[in-house]
């Protein structure tokens, strides 16, 4: 059972465009949604995260939009840069269970 | 220092042989996790320690063992490796069970 789904599996955009990465989940008890990015030959690292009390979280060029009713969220990367090329993982976790559930990831390539 | 270290980085094992992977962190994090990552798949949580309490996932309960002799160190043990164990194994730690810090991973190849 895949509780966190990400789409598309891969995405290619040109430098300066907005990349949109989608994520959906099934577990309504999830109360924290981190996005991790992983560059080739490196470890995943926390990029940005949101809690359901908000429907938007912004950090520079990175914005999470959250729709609790539809159990969907998306990561928007504006003015994409080649350095943003990485695999992006969406995850969900419930308070107290210490067990994040990850999606399969979206591989983003930004062409100069 | 927010580094999580893993050893070895690459491991070659024979079918039926044991495998022991090591993870360490010096951030005094109370929770340490082990994930299995295969290509085009989500990281799969195998087990985690909250302090000295080990929690293993039900579907991998019999396949993986772990020990945490102190706060900084955690191992992952496979008693008898099978071909299906070939994967990247990621260790992570967390102070608040919210943000996780990942190690570089150990790539295990079972032949």
């Amino acid at each position: 059972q895949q509780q966190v789904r990400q789409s598309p599996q891969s995405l290619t955009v040109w430098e300066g465009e907005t990349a949109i990465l989608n994520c959906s989940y099934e577990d309504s008890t999830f109360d924290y949604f981190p996005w991790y990015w992983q560059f080739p030959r490196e470890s995943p690292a926390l990029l940005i995260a949101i809690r359901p009390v908000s429907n938007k979280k912004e950090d520079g060029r990175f914005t999470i939009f959250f729709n609790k009713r539809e159990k969907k969220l998306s990561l928007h990367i504006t003015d994409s840069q080649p350095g943003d090329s990485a695999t992006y993982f969406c995850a969900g976790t419930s308070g107290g269970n210490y067990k994040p559930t990850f999606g399969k990831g979206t591989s983003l390539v930004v062409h100069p | 220092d927010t580094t999580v270290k893993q050893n070895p980085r690459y491991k070659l094992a024979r079918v039926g042989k044991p495998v022991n992977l090591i993870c360490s962190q010096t951030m005094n994090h109370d929770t340490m996790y082990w994930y299995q990552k295969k290509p085009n798949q989500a990281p799969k949580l195998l087990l985690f320690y909250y302090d000295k309490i080990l929690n293993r996932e039900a579907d991998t309960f019999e396949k993986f063992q772990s020990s945490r002799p102190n706060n900084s160190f955690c191992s992952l043990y496979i008693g008898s490796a099978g071909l299906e164990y070939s994967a990247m194994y990621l260790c992570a730690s967390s102070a608040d069970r919210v943000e996780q810090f990942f190690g570089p991973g150990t790539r295990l190849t079972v032949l």
Side-chain angles (χ1 to χ4, degrees):
Chain A
Q1 180 184 6
Q2 186 181 349
Q3 294 195 29
V4 176
R5 289 186 171 85
Q6 292 186 247
S7 65
Q9 182 176 344
S10 62
L11 177 64
T12 299
V13 299
W14 294 102
E15 183 175 356
E17 292 184 333
T18 296
I20 300 175
L21 289 67
N22 301 302
C23 180
S24 64
Y25 63 98
E26 298 176 7
D27 191 336
S28 58
T29 67
F30 284 167
D31 59 3
Y32 180 72
F33 299 90
W35 285 82
Y36 286 82
W37 56 352
Q38 183 176 20
F39 298 99
R41 295 174 295 282
E42 294 189 16
S43 318
L46 181 65
L47 170 63
I48 187 173
I50 192 168
R51 293 192 181 275
V53 292
S54 303
N55 56 20
K56 181 181 176 181
K57 178 73 176 290
E58 195 169 351
D59 185 356
R61 297 184 294 107
F62 301 89
T63 303
I64 300 175
F65 293 93
F66 182 75
N67 185 322
K68 187 175 182 178
R69 182 178 62 83
E70 295 186 6
K71 295 183 181 177
K72 292 181 178 179
L73 54 163
S74 60
L75 175 67
H76 292 226
I77 306 172
T78 57
D79 188 23
S80 296
Q81 302 295 309
D84 298 332
S85 297
T87 298
Y88 291 76
F89 293 98
C90 172
T93 186
S94 303
N97 77 0
Y98 313 149
K99 300 196 304 183
T101 299
F102 284 84
K104 291 184 177 182
T106 293
S107 176
L108 172 67
V109 174
V110 181
H111 285 304
Chain B
D1 182 10
T2 57
T3 303
V4 177
K5 294 183 170 62
Q6 290 188 242
N7 288 295
R9 293 294 307 277
Y10 300 91
K11 175 71 176 177
L12 187 63
R14 296 293 181 187
V15 171
K17 296 298 184 183
V19 175
N20 196 46
L21 308 181
I22 296 170
C23 178
S24 64
Q25 52 89 13
T26 56
M27 297 173 280
N28 200 34
H29 286 174
D30 55 14
T31 309
M32 295 184 74
Y33 305 81
W34 280 100
Y35 291 88
Q36 182 190 65
K37 176 74 172 71
K38 294 185 177 181
N40 301 316
Q41 293 187 20
K44 177 180 173 56
L45 180 65
L46 301 176
L47 52 89
F48 68 93
Y49 265 98
Y50 172 55
D51 197 12
K52 293 182 173 58
I53 302 171
L54 174 61
N55 296 266
R56 288 186 285 177
E57 292 298 281
D59 58 344
T60 57
F61 190 87
E62 296 181 347
K63 297 182 178 180
F64 300 93
Q65 301 285 339
S66 183
S67 67
R68 192 178 186 187
N70 56 61
N71 177 269
S72 302
F73 178 94
C74 187
S75 66
L76 181 69
Y77 180 77
I78 301 168
S80 177
L83 295 175
E84 70 277 14
Y85 286 84
S86 292
M88 176 71 81
Y89 288 84
L90 294 168
C91 175
S93 69
S94 178
D96 54 10
R97 278 82 68 191
V98 175
E99 180 178 3
Q100 294 186 313
F101 293 83
F102 284 87
T106 294
R107 185 172 296 282
L108 173 65
T109 301
V110 182
L111 300 175

